[in-house]
Amino acid sequence: MAEQHSPVELVIRFFSIVPMILYMIVAIMLTIIAFFSVYDAAQLIIQMVATRNFADGLVGVIYSLLLTITIIVLFETVTVYFKTKHVEVRALLIAGLTGMVRHILVYNVGSVSPDMLFATVALLAVLIAGIVLVKPEQLP
C-alpha cells in the first residue's frame, strides 16, 4: 500500500530538492563558462606569441588563467556539495583569494587610493588567515 505523507513532509521534501536542482544548474553553467575561459586563455596565448608582445600578453594570460582556476574551484565546491550535502568553506576562501590576486593584477598600485590599497591588503589577510585556520573537511 502506498505510504501517506503529511503536507508538511511534502513541503520539506520539496524544499530539500530545490537546492540540489539549483546546484545542478550552477554546475552546468560553470562547466560551460570553464570551457569558454580555457578557450579564451588559449586565444590569448596564441595572440601573445603571434604579436610577440610578451610583457602585456603575460598579464592577460595570467589574468585569464586565474579566472579559470576560480571557476574550477567553484565547480569543485558544487561537486563536493553533491557528495556531502554541505559547502566546503576552505574552497570558497581559496576562490576568493584567487579573485583578489586577479584584482591586484588589473589595477596599477601607483594610481590607487591608500584606502583602497589598505582594504585590499586587509581582505587578503583575512582570506589567508581563513585558509590557514579552517581545516580541510574530510569526505565520508
Side-chain angles (χ1 to χ4, degrees), residues 71-117:
I71 294 166
I72 292 168
V73 169
L74 292 173
F75 183 78
E76 286 179 352
T77 302
V78 172
T79 304
V80 168
Y81 176 81
F82 284 135
K83 292 177 184 176
T84 65
K85 300 294 186 266
H86 70 276
V87 176
E88 186 177 337
V89 175
R90 194 163 197 260
L92 292 175
L93 292 171
I94 292 170
L97 181 64
T98 307
M100 284 304 300
V101 170
R102 284 182 66 240
H103 181 69
I104 291 169
L105 287 175
V106 170
Y107 63 80
N108 183 356
V109 177
S111 65
V112 176
S113 72
D115 293 337
M116 180 66 142
L117 195 57

Side-chain angles (χ1 to χ4, degrees), residues 119-139:
T120 302
V121 170
L123 185 54
L124 282 171
V126 168
L127 288 170
I128 291 169
I131 291 168
V132 170
L133 296 175
V134 173
K135 295 185 181 359
E137 298 178 20
Q138 302 295 323
L139 293 177

Side-chain angles (χ1 to χ4, degrees), residues 1 10 19 30 35-36 41-42 49 68 70 96-97 101 108-109 137 139:
M1 212 161 116
L10 292 174
L30 285 171
F35 280 116
F36 282 122
V49 170
T68 305
T70 303
L97 181 64
V101 170
N108 183 356
V109 177
E137 298 178 20
L139 293 177

